[in-house]
Amino acid sequence: MEFKDIWDILVRRKWIIIQAFILVLATTGIITYFLPPVYEAKSKVLVESSGTTATMLSNLGLQDLSSLIGEKGATDIGTKITLIKVDPVINEVANRLQLRDENGDIYTALRLETAGVLYKFLPRPYVYVMEDIGSSSMTVLADSASLDEAIQLADTVAEIYVTETRKQRQRELIEAGKFIEDQIANVKKDYFDALNRVNEFQLTNNSLDTEIEIKVAIEKLGELMKQKEDNIIDISEAETKLRILKDKLATQDASNIFAVTITENAQIRDLLKSLSDLQIKLAGLLIERTAEHPEIVAVRKQIEETDKIIKRELSIYKNFSPEMVSLELELEALKAHLIGVNRNIEKYTKLAQTLPVKSSEMSKLKLALTASQNMYSSLLDTSFKIGVAKAMTVSDVRIVQYANRLDSLKPISPQRVLNLIVGAFLGLISGIGLALFIDHVDTTIKTSDDLKPFEKLYYLGSIPYMKKDSLIFKLDSKHPSVETFRTIRNSLQFATLKPQIGPILVTSCEPSAGKSTTVTDLAISFAQTGNKVLAIDTDLRNPSLHKFFNVSNQKGLTTLLSNKATTNEVIIDTNVEGVRLLPCGPVPPDPGLFIESEGLKKYLEQLRGSFDIIILDSPPLFIVSDAVILSKLVEATILVLESGRTDSKAVSEAQDLFEKAEVKKPGAIINKVKKKYGKYYYSSYYKNYYGSKGSK
């Protein structure tokens, strides 16, 4: 559809558009006038991006507590907006201000945060929060039918949110403090238990410092071993030393090894050291674990393996020592002096064997004591810090602007000018839409374009709408109606392609389509060209041609067909030169018999010789079958369609009737075309071209 077509539709349906526009605009104005005012108050809340509490704690060296109170050093406005709208905050606002609904119940958070469909008509307290783009702040907006209530609501929401934010941070610190206090109690008990175990161990073993005792024992053993070695070197009796040495070597095993052997054989010495370490380790494990523990079993197995290796090494040493002779002599010399030295060595050896176990146990006890002491000290320090942080905690949001009465004095709704503009726009759009819709669903014939689908109908012309029935002989020769019938007359001649047109039948789809007026004006148009024209009123049910010519209807076609009069008696002159009329005559009880009679066909043939043009006015096509019967007696059939009234479905049915009746290609005239159908109405053209008086 082109723009011009749309424009034609809008011009044609302009009254629908105007009515819709006025209706919507008036409705908008009335509703706007009666809408109650709605006031809006605004409070601004600033979100501290750096974290005020975190900054103060950092200045005191307590920056590690920031995580406990949610300080992240960044601002998430979306999260803050969500938190300000949580139910506890909004419910506290409703309770503090005692906001009650029509039933006297306190408003719920859901109702305060939801405007509702009828909010504009029945305003009530309403709260919403929005982010201030480009800044770290948000605006709390409150609407209400009361200005004071809106201001109180906005300020109260902001104040409660700031307070709740600080309380929430303090609650987090209180919970952390309770946890630390519980841990302090547990760690304190562990610390004193560890301290008691250390003191008890020292009292039981008569030992204050096992490390000093081990050092003294080792030094003493070293001195004794040195004395023993010196005594052995001084033995001069080689044989005595050899015998003594051999005897002693023969008695040596893994549990009884002489110092000389240990001194001279590094491998045995290392094995003995390993054996001693394993025994110490075993002793320590037995204190903490059972004898069947896998680790203890493994250590014992290592001790057995080490003992076997020592025995094997001693056997090798006995048989293959290159210094056998020298050692035997030296050992013989020590026999007399070694009695006292060996006694002391045995004493300190036993002491040295017990000291590593004591040292290991003491180390474990001191380690546990140190760990408990450090944990206890750390928890006490943390507890102190939490107490400081709790006292210094402030909210990371603060109110920077309270609701201003002057700013809220003018209601935000209804916006009368805007509503009227929107109403006007909607009225125009709805009017245009309604006009296009009505035109779309309107299937009536309005212009020649609507006849294009009906290819079997020959379009003859469109007759403009006249406010009063006026025959064309009364009009100026340049009048559009006169020009229209001139066009129709020429179209009929072109359609038949004959110099003389045979009888013409004029009918319509429904009554009051203007077929009788068309018959009259068409007869006048043919007469104006010098033709002798006869108009016959074959509408025997509702005759009307005699009214147009203001003549009597006492005699006519029915009296002629009844053989009660001759053609000369029933054909009468009219007040239009060249036009004669054969009226209907008295209406018969059964008009169909007259239409189907052979007499009608006979008289038509007779009259063709006396007149140049014969035009028949018949009943509407769908009322009775007269028009279909008459169409077989004529050479041209004209279907008159009332513009804007005759439906396209009716035209389609008429076309089918003509086709079944084998009517030659019928013509169609669109009657009563109004100015609203644009190019099909010629009054504007007529006035512009011929002037206001119709002459040029």
Side-chain angles (χ1 to χ4, degrees):
M1 183 181 291
E2 297 180 357
F3 175 76
K4 190 175 185 304
D5 297 328
I6 297 175
W7 178 255
D8 290 339
I9 293 173
L10 298 182
V11 172
R12 185 164 63 248
R13 306 287 183 181
K14 62 179 178 294
W15 285 112
I16 293 177
I17 299 174
I18 293 173
Q19 290 171 5
F21 175 82
I22 294 174
L23 178 62
V24 174
L25 183 61
T27 303
T28 304
I30 293 172
I31 293 175
T32 300
Y33 180 79
F34 286 103
L35 279 178
V38 177
Y39 297 93
E40 182 177 79
K42 301 179 182 178
S43 295
K44 284 190 176 295
V45 177
L46 178 66
V47 180
E48 302 288 355
S49 60
S50 60
T52 305
T53 304
T55 303
M56 291 190 296
L57 292 176
S58 178
N59 293 335
L60 294 175
L62 306 178
Q63 60 272 16
D64 53 330
L65 291 181
S66 296
S67 59
L68 291 177
I69 56 175
E71 295 283 2
K72 297 185 173 109
T75 301
D76 186 355
I77 298 296
T79 302
K80 300 296 183 183
I81 291 177
T82 301
L83 292 177
I84 201 173
K85 295 168 65 178
V86 295
D87 289 356
V89 174
I90 303 301
N91 287 333
E92 175 63 22
V93 172
N95 287 322
R96 181 178 295 184
L97 297 179
Q98 286 296 297
L99 301 176
R100 298 182 180 273
D101 58 17
E102 58 277 3
N103 298 323
D105 299 327
I106 296 291
Y107 274 107
T108 62
L110 179 62
R111 289 204 67 187
L112 280 177
E113 296 172 359
T114 307
V117 178
L118 301 178
Y119 175 71
K120 294 294 184 183
F121 301 94
L122 299 172
R124 55 177 176 78
Y126 169 52
V127 175
Y128 57 102
V129 185
M130 67 178 186
E131 177 183 354
D132 297 335
I133 305 300
S135 66
S136 299
S137 64
M138 51 188 171
T139 301
V140 180
L141 300 103
D143 293 353
S144 176
S146 169
L147 174 59
D148 293 334
E149 186 177 66
I151 294 174
Q152 290 179 354
L153 187 56
D155 290 344
T156 305
V157 170
E159 291 171 354
I160 290 179
Y161 176 61
V162 172
T163 303
E164 285 298 319
T165 303
R166 181 175 58 82
K167 288 182 178 179
Q168 178 61 29
R169 292 186 166 211
Q170 288 182 336
R171 282 194 292 267
E172 293 171 356
L173 288 172
I174 290 172
E175 291 175 2
K178 289 181 179 178
F179 174 77
I180 294 298
E181 291 296 332
D182 293 340
Q183 295 301 313
I184 286 176
N186 295 331
V187 172
K188 182 178 181 180
K189 182 178 179 301
D190 294 341
Y191 169 69
F192 283 110
D193 289 344
L195 184 61
N196 290 333
R197 285 195 295 270
V198 171
N199 294 333
E200 184 180 351
F201 181 84
Q202 289 176 341
L203 291 174
T204 303
N205 293 275
N206 194 21
S207 174
L208 296 177
D209 196 335
T210 56
E211 293 181 358
I212 296 176
E213 292 178 3
I214 291 173
K215 183 178 179 181
V216 170
I218 291 174
E219 289 177 353
K220 190 64 176 177
L221 280 174
E223 292 176 0
L224 291 172
M225 292 301 294
K226 183 69 171 63
Q227 290 178 15
K228 186 175 182 178
E229 290 175 359
D230 292 341
N231 289 333
I232 292 173
I233 294 172
D234 293 338
I235 296 175
S236 59
E237 294 84 351
E239 293 179 355
T240 303
K241 290 180 181 180
L242 180 60
R243 185 179 63 253
I244 295 172
L245 181 59
K246 287 181 178 180
D247 293 340
K248 289 183 178 180
L249 289 175
T251 60
Q252 282 190 121
D253 56 19
S255 62
N256 186 23
I257 300 174
F258 298 136
V260 174
T261 303
I262 295 172
T263 303
E264 292 183 351
N265 194 318
Q267 189 170 2
I268 293 175
R269 184 170 62 250
D270 294 336
L271 288 171
L272 287 174
K273 187 177 183 306
S274 298
L275 181 62
S276 176
D277 293 338
L278 289 172
Q279 291 173 343
I280 293 171
K281 182 177 181 181
L282 177 62
L285 291 173
L286 287 171
I287 295 172
E288 299 178 350
R289 297 174 176 83
T290 61
E292 289 78 17
H293 193 276
E295 190 173 354
I296 293 177
V297 173
V299 173
R300 283 178 174 171
K301 188 175 180 181
Q302 291 177 0
I303 291 173
E304 291 176 0
E305 292 295 328
T306 305
D307 189 62
K308 289 179 182 180
I309 295 172
I310 291 173
K311 289 179 180 179
R312 186 174 62 251
E313 290 297 325
L314 284 174
S315 177
I316 294 171
Y317 179 76
K318 292 176 186 178
N319 298 322
F320 300 101
S321 176
E323 298 179 3
M324 178 67 71
V325 176
S326 175
L327 289 174
E328 288 177 352
L329 292 174
E330 292 176 357
L331 288 175
E332 186 67 25
L334 291 173
K335 184 177 180 181
H337 193 264
L338 277 179
I339 296 173
V341 174
N342 286 335
R343 189 180 296 114
N344 291 331
I345 290 175
E346 184 179 0
K347 174 184 175 181
Y348 283 102
T349 299
K350 291 180 180 179
L351 178 62
Q353 289 176 347
T354 60
L355 287 176
V357 177
K358 292 168 59 178
S359 177
S360 176
E361 186 66 22
M362 178 61 79
S363 297
K364 292 178 181 178
L365 293 173
K366 286 186 175 181
L367 182 62
L369 177 62
T370 303
S372 299
Q373 185 178 10
N374 292 338
M375 180 63 72
Y376 183 53
S377 176
S378 177
L379 290 174
L380 287 175
D381 182 60
T382 303
S383 178
F384 168 74
K385 291 179 179 179
I386 290 177
V388 174
K390 184 167 62 176
M392 298 181 62
T393 298
V394 296
S395 176
D396 65 339
V397 294
R398 60 188 177 90
I399 302 175
V400 294
Q401 179 181 319
Y402 284 90
N404 192 315
R405 184 178 182 86
L406 294 178
D407 294 339
S408 309
L409 196 58
K410 185 178 180 181
I412 62 168
S413 175
Q415 299 181 16
R416 290 182 170 82
V417 176
L418 178 61
N419 289 354
L420 290 176
I421 292 174
V422 173
F425 176 76
L426 293 178
L428 182 62
I429 294 299
S430 61
I432 292 174
L434 184 62
L436 294 175
F437 173 76
I438 291 176
D439 195 83
H440 177 72
V441 299
D442 183 8
T443 58
T444 59
I445 301 299
K446 294 176 282 294
T447 67
S448 60
D449 290 340
D450 298 328
L451 287 178
K452 289 180 179 179
F454 307 102
E455 298 178 353
K456 296 180 180 180
L457 288 178
Y458 186 81
Y459 173 67
L460 297 174
S462 297
I463 302 173
Y465 174 79
M466 301 291 290
K467 293 183 179 180
K468 294 182 180 180
D469 291 336
S470 178
L471 300 179
I472 62 174
F473 76 91
K474 299 178 182 180
L475 303 176
D476 188 275
S477 61
K478 299 296 191 300
H479 194 278
S481 294
V482 178
E483 294 289 344
T484 298
F485 278 99
R486 186 180 295 118
T487 301
I488 294 172
R489 184 186 67 209
N490 294 332
S491 297
L492 280 171
Q493 291 176 340
F494 285 129
T496 57
L497 297 178
K498 293 180 180 180
Q500 186 175 3
I501 304 174
I504 301 171
L505 176 68
V506 179
T507 186
S508 62
C509 293
E510 65 281 314
S512 304
K515 61 178 181 58
S516 298
T517 306
T518 302
V519 168
T520 304
D521 284 337
L522 188 60
I524 295 172
S525 180
F526 274 108
Q528 289 176 343
T529 59
N531 290 303
K532 295 172 61 180
V533 182
L534 174 64
I536 304 177
D537 194 345
T538 58
D539 189 351
L540 306 184
R541 290 171 171 77
N542 186 24
S544 60
L545 284 184
H546 63 281
K547 298 177 183 178
F548 288 95
F549 293 104
N550 196 22
V551 296
S552 174
N553 192 38
Q554 293 181 355
K555 295 181 180 181
L557 181 61
T558 57
T559 55
L560 178 65
L561 295 177
S562 301
N563 297 319
K564 295 180 180 180
T566 63
T567 55
N568 292 330
E569 292 176 342
V570 295
I571 296 176
I572 57 179
D573 295 328
T574 66
N575 54 354
V576 180
E577 185 180 355
V579 178
R580 303 193 71 190
L581 173 65
L582 175 55
C584 169
V587 176
D590 189 1
L593 293 176
F594 288 89
I595 297 299
E596 296 175 357
S597 65
E598 289 293 328
L600 178 60
K601 182 178 180 181
K602 180 185 71 173
Y603 283 119
L604 281 176
E605 290 294 331
Q606 292 177 1
L607 293 172
R608 290 185 65 176
S610 303
F611 295 94
D612 299 321
I613 301 294
I614 299 176
I615 304 175
L616 283 67
D617 181 14
S618 74
L621 194 61
F622 296 144
I623 302 298
V624 291
S625 60
D626 295 2
V628 177
I629 296 171
L630 291 171
S631 65
K632 298 180 180 181
L633 307 179
V634 299
E635 293 186 4
T637 301
I638 298 176
L639 182 64
V640 177
L641 309 173
E642 184 177 351
S643 177
R645 178 169 174 242
T646 304
D647 192 87
S648 58
K649 184 178 180 181
V651 178
S652 178
E653 293 176 359
Q655 182 177 248
D656 292 340
L657 282 176
F658 287 143
E659 186 176 3
K660 291 177 182 178
E662 297 181 353
V663 176
K664 296 178 182 179
K665 190 172 184 179
I669 294 175
I670 302 177
N671 191 27
K672 302 180 183 180
V673 180
K674 298 180 181 180
K675 184 178 180 180
K676 65 180 180 179
Y677 296 125
K679 60 182 179 180
Y680 300 100
Y681 189 59
Y682 306 102
S683 63
S684 297
Y685 162 80
Y686 174 78
K687 291 180 180 180
N688 293 334
Y689 188 77
Y690 292 105
S692 59
K693 295 182 179 181
S695 62
K696 181 177 179 180

